[in-house]
Amino acid sequence: MTPVCELSALRPDQGVAALLPDGSQVAVFLTSAGTVHALGNIDPFSGAAVLARGIVGDRGGVPVVVSPVYKQAFELSTGKCLDDPSTGVPVHPVVVTDGVIQVGSP
Amino acid sequence: MTRTLVVVGHGMVGHRLVEALREKDVTGQWRVVVFAEETRPAYDRVALSSYVDSWDAESLSLAPHEDDAVVLHLDDKVVHIDRDNKVVRTTKGRAQPYDALVLATGSVPFVPPVPGRDLPGCHVYRTIEDLDGIRATVESARAAGRHAGMVLGGGLLGLEAANALRGMGISPHVVELGPRLMPLQVDEGGGGLLKRLVEKLDLTVHTGTSASSIEQDGERLIAKLSNGVELDLDVVVFSAGIRPRDELARSFGLTVGERGGIVVDQACRTSDEHIYAIGECANIGGMVYGLVAPGYSMAEVVADRLLGGSAEFPGADMSTKLKLLGVDVASFGDAHAKEEGALEVVVNDAVAGTYAKVVVSDDAKTLLGGILVGDASKYTILRSLVGRPVPGDPVALIGPEGGVELSMPHDAQVCSCHAVTKQQIVDVVNSGDAVDVPGIKACTKAGTGCGSCVPMLKKLLSECGVEQSRALCEHFDHSRADLFEIVRSTGITTFSDLITRHGRGLGCDLCKPAVASILASLDNGHVLEGEQATLQDTNDRFLANMQRNGTYSVVPRIPGGEITPEKLIVIGEVARDFGLYTKITGGQRIDLFGATVDQLPEIWKRLVDAGFESGHAYGKALRTVKSCVGTTWCRYGVQDSVSLAIALELRYRGLRSPHKLKSAVSGCARECAEARGKDFGIIATENGWNLYVGGNGGFTPRHADLIASDVDTETLIKLIDRFLMFYIRTADRLQRTSTWIESLEGGLDHLRDVIVNDSLGICADLEAAMEKHVDNYADEWRGVLEDPEKLARFTSFVNAPGTPDPTISFREERGQKVPVLLGVPSVVQAEVSR
C-alpha cells in the first residue's frame, strides 16, 4: 500500500492522478456518496494517462468515470468499460487510514 | 439496346425530367443528351429573388447530374429538328440523332407593347442575368444619388420582382392592371389586406391601371400611367406574365395552341409521337401553366412513358403558398368560388392583419378551396381537405384557435414539390425507416423542395406516436432550453441543487457540461469555482484543449487577428522556452501544442503578464472574430473591418453557448474573411453592414443567410446581442446556430421577426442579458493564476507534483516536437531504410 494524499485533498467527483512506486499511475476519485475508488489512469482506447480528468457521474444508476478522450464510461467499482465490456481498467485496492488515502496493487 | 433521349432546354423542368428518368431507368435503357441555350446549368428560378441576398449564383444551383449516361451541352441551342430522320441540329453545328425528343424550352417574359419599353433601364425578370442587369442599373442610379423603381405587374412574379428590388434598397411602385394585387390567387378582401401589408414596407401600389408610355428624360425615365399619374424612375421591371417558347415547334410543324404553347396530350406527347413537350412551353388541356409544380408533374409523366409506363398528367394543382415581402399568401382549390352555388366563409381580421376564406359546396358539406393572407399556417392541411367533407362548421376551419382539430386524409399530398402523400410518410415512419424529419427527407424526398411542409412532417411524426424526445439525458427529462429557463427563473446556481429538484441520479458527461454552460451563460462566476469545476469537460476544466496524448494546446486571444510584433515575440519566446509545437490556426491565431497540465499555469503566467487573455479555444464559447484588413490598408475596402472585428471579439469574449461560436468581418463584398462560413458574419456595404447568420464549416458546410442589410454599427451590435442571447437561451446542447435556425418553427423568417421586429417583445431583455455578460467578463486564466486553490489543480500527480507524466514522449518532425503515438511501437529509423 502506498500513501497517496490526504482524503481532505480530494473534492467530490473530481479525480486526481497519483504515481505508484512501480511507475504505474492511478486515478483516485472521491464520490459524492463519500466512497473512494482507484482505477488505472491509462485510458485503454487512447493510451493516454487521463482517466483522472474524466467527468464522474452515473449510467443507469451505476457510478462511472467517463474518459475525456473518446467518452467511454468505466464503472468506478469494477473498472469495467460499459461501452465495451470486453475492455476495462485495473482496480486498485484503497484504504483510508488516519485521513490518508493508501492505494495498493491491482 | 440503349436509346437516346434528347432534351431541349435545361431549366428546372428539364432538369427534373433527367433526374426522374435516371432514377427510374434502372436497366439503363436510355442515354440522355441535353442542349441548353443558357450558359449555366439549371438553377432554382423560383428562388430567384434570393439571389439579391448574396449575389452568389451558386446558391441557386440545383444538384448536377453526376452521371455518365447524361451529357449536358450548355450554350448550344437547338435550331433545327429533322423529324423524318429524327435528328436535331444546334447553333454550334452538332447533329444529334434521337429516339425520343423532349422540348422543355420554357417561356419568355411577356412585355406589353408600351412605347419606350426597350429604353436602357427597362428590364425583365426571369434569369440571373436579368437580375445582374437590374443591379447594374440600380447601382449606377444610386451612384447618382437616386433610387426610384417601378414593377409593371402585380401578380406573383411582379411581387417577387418588387421583393428583389427591395433587396437592392429600392422601394418600388407596383403597377397592376387588375383591380388588386395577385388577382389570380386572391380575392378582393385578400388583395385589399395584401396591399395594406406591402404598403407598410414602403411599396406604392397602383391597381386598375397600366403604363401607357415610358420616356427618357436625361438619365431618368418618365412613366405615364393610364390613370394620369406620372412617375420619375431609374429602373423599370416588366413582370406581366409569360409566353411559351414554342417557336421551334412552330417552325418544324408541330401543332401549337391558338394562344401559344405546344399542344400535347395527357401523356405530354406532341403531334409527333416521338416528341414530347413539358413545362411552360406545353399547352395541355388548353392550358399553359406558369408554375413549376405542373411542370414537374409533366416531367414525371414523360419519364414514366419513356420506360413503357402509362402515366397521365394528373391535372394541375394551382394551389400556391408563398411568403412575399414577408407576407404569407396562399390560395388553393376553387379559391374564387367559381363552382355553381359555392358558398364563401370569410374571417377578415383587420387588427391582426389576417384574412382567411374557405369556399364550400352549396350544402356547406364539402371544402372546395380557400384563400389565406397574413397567416398561411393552415394551408397544408386545408389544401389536403379540398374535395372532402368539412369537419363541422366551416368557419371553425379558419376561426381563431380552439376550432376543430384537423387531420389530413391519408391520400392527401403533403409535399407538393415531390408529390409525396401522407400515406407514404406514415409508411416510412411506421416501418421504422424514418424516426425524425431528416429521416423522412432521406426516405421520401418530402420537405426537400420548398420546405413549407416541414412543420407538417413534424406533426405527422407525433401523430404516428414517434416521441421527439428532447430530454437532455437519462438524468433530466428537460431539453437544454427548458433547463435554461428553469435556472434563469429559479435563480438556482449549482448543479446539485438543480438535479435534486428537477432531475435524478448523479448526472453524467452530457448534462454536467450542459448545465455548466448554462450557469456560465448566466454569469455565475469563474467556471472552475467550487462544484462547477467538476461539471466541466476536460478542456474547460484545464482551460486548454486536450490532444491525443493527454497534453494540451494553448491559444491566447488575438482579437480580430491583429497583433503587435512585441506580442508576437512573446508567443514565440514562450513556445521556444516550453518546447511547444507551433501552428497558425484557421481563426487567425496561434496554437501552441504539447503543454502538460503542470506547465499550463507557468505558460499562462508569461502570457498574462504580457497582456494576453484566454482565447477560449477550449470552450463552447465565442472563439474568434476573423477579419480582412479593411479600409485602413486595402484599396477595395469600404468599411473598417478590423476595428469592428476587435470590438465584437472583445464584446462577446468568454460568452458560453450551446456550441462553439465563430464570426468574421469582411470589409467589402469580396469577402476575404469568409464571413458567410460563420455563425454570425458581417460584410461591409457602402452604407453600413450586412449581417449573416447560421453559417458553419465542419461536416456539413453551410453559408450563413442574410438577416439584416445596410445597418449602422450600433444597430448591428444590438442585432448580434439579441441573436446570440436568443440562441443561448433556446438551442439544444451542441446545436450549432445553423441547425438551431432550421429547427425553429418558421426558420429564418421567425428568427428575423424575433430579433429584428421584436415579435416576442423580448429584445430589451436579450440586450440587457448581453450587457450583463459584457460588464461581468473577466479573464479565466488570470482568475486561475490569482487563486492558489484553483492553481493547485494543475498538477501532474497529487503525490509527486512536478514529476512529468512518464507516458508522454515526443519525437521531432520538421524541426518541431510532435507526440509519439501511444500504444504504437515506434519504428527504428534504420529498419525502415533497410
Side-chain angles (χ1 to χ4, degrees), chain A residues 2-5 9-20 23 25-26 28 32 41-42 46-50 52-64 66 68-71, chain B residues 474-475 504-509 512-513 528-531 533-538 541-542 546-552 597 789 793 795-800 803-808 822-823:
Chain A
T2 307
V4 161
C5 64
L10 293 191
R11 288 267 203 86
D13 295 343
Q14 192 167 6
V16 297
L19 194 59
L20 297 184
Q25 304 180 31
V26 286
V28 185
S32 44
N41 193 32
I42 293 182
S46 62
V50 293
R53 299 177 220 160
I55 288 177
V56 175
D58 79 279
R59 283 261 183 104
V62 176
V64 295
V66 177
V69 188
Y70 298 118
K71 313 288 177 196
Chain B
E474 61 179 274
H475 303 102
R504 64 182 82 83
L506 304 174
C508 65
D509 58 314
K512 282 188 166 181
L528 297 183
E529 196 62 49
E531 186 200 62
T534 69
L535 309 178
Q536 308 291 0
D537 263 324
T538 189
R541 191 165 139 196
F542 292 98
M546 195 172 73
Q547 305 299 329
R548 59 191 304 165
N549 64 346
T551 63
Y552 290 85
V597 168
E789 203 193 328
R793 302 279 148 196
T795 48
S796 54
F797 297 108
V798 68
N799 58 345
T803 306
D805 177 350
T807 66
I808 295 173
L822 299 161

Side-chain angles (χ1 to χ4, degrees), chain B residues 10-316:
Chain B
H10 198 243
M12 295 177 78
V13 171
H15 176 271
R16 169 58 76 90
L17 168 69
V18 176
E19 290 289 296
L21 178 67
R22 290 301 303 150
E23 191 182 319
K24 291 177 178 171
D25 183 12
V26 288
T27 56
Q29 296 178 47
W30 291 93
R31 62 185 282 264
V32 184
V33 182
V34 186
F35 290 102
E37 172 189 19
E38 289 183 84
T39 53
R40 56 177 97 236
Y43 56 90
D44 186 356
R45 249 190 264 277
V46 173
L48 189 60
S49 68
S50 72
Y51 175 53
V52 174
D53 297 341
S54 62
W55 297 109
D56 174 13
E58 283 294 305
S59 67
L60 296 178
S61 347
L62 299 177
H65 310 297
E66 281 165 355
D67 189 335
D68 293 341
V70 181
V71 179
L72 171 61
H73 297 288
L74 293 174
D75 193 19
D76 196 7
K77 181 181 172 181
V78 170
V79 288
H80 187 274
I81 306 174
D82 177 350
R83 288 169 52 195
D84 294 332
N85 296 307
K86 295 205 280 182
V87 174
V88 297
R89 288 176 210 289
T90 71
T91 43
K92 288 189 178 164
R94 286 196 176 88
Q96 174 64 52
Y98 63 83
D99 295 292
L101 178 65
V102 176
L103 304 176
T105 44
S107 63
V108 286
F110 168 65
V111 180
V114 181
R117 62 183 187 167
D118 298 325
L119 288 170
C122 292
H123 298 270
V124 294
Y125 177 81
R126 180 170 176 83
T127 64
I128 286 176
E129 289 73 19
D130 292 337
L131 266 178
D132 287 337
I134 294 170
R135 181 191 192 185
T137 300
V138 167
E139 285 186 351
S140 69
R142 187 180 282 145
R146 298 189 313 255
H147 44 79
M150 170 176 82
V151 175
L152 213 55
L156 195 158
L157 259 186
L159 292 185
E160 282 282 354
N163 194 25
L165 283 181
R166 257 179 62 84
M168 296 182 225
I170 287 189
S171 299
H173 295 268
V174 176
V175 178
E176 165 60 39
L177 182 59
R180 58 181 177 271
L181 294 174
M182 295 185 74
L184 294 180
Q185 287 83 12
V186 305
D187 59 4
E188 201 183 324
L193 175 62
L194 181 58
K195 176 169 186 268
R196 268 208 299 127
L197 293 176
V198 302
E199 282 184 337
K200 278 193 192 163
L201 302 168
D202 287 339
L203 266 64
T204 311
V205 178
H206 310 261
T207 52
T209 186
S210 64
S212 44
S213 71
I214 300 169
E215 288 162 20
Q216 189 143 24
D217 176 19
E219 295 277 292
R220 312 202 72 181
L221 298 169
I222 306 291
K224 290 188 175 130
L225 305 190
S226 57
N227 64 1
V229 172
E230 261 192 38
L231 301 173
D232 197 356
L233 302 166
D234 302 295
V235 60
V236 173
V237 179
F238 289 96
S239 195
I242 56 160
R243 291 292 177 265
R245 292 203 51 189
D246 53 13
E247 66 270 13
L248 191 62
R250 271 176 208 275
S251 307
F252 298 96
L254 298 175
T255 308
V256 295
E258 262 177 48
R259 296 181 58 200
I262 308 162
V263 172
V264 296
D265 63 14
Q266 293 300 302
C268 298
R269 214 183 286 265
T270 66
S271 50
D272 179 329
E273 61 168 336
H274 301 293
I275 305 179
Y276 299 82
I278 58 177
E280 293 177 337
C281 67
N283 178 325
I284 189 161
M287 292 288 292
V288 172
Y289 294 105
L291 293 177
V292 76
Y296 279 176
S297 299
M298 293 182 222
E300 298 284 345
V301 167
V302 172
D304 180 78
R305 290 276 173 168
L306 290 170
L307 297 169
S310 56
E312 293 202 340
F313 184 61

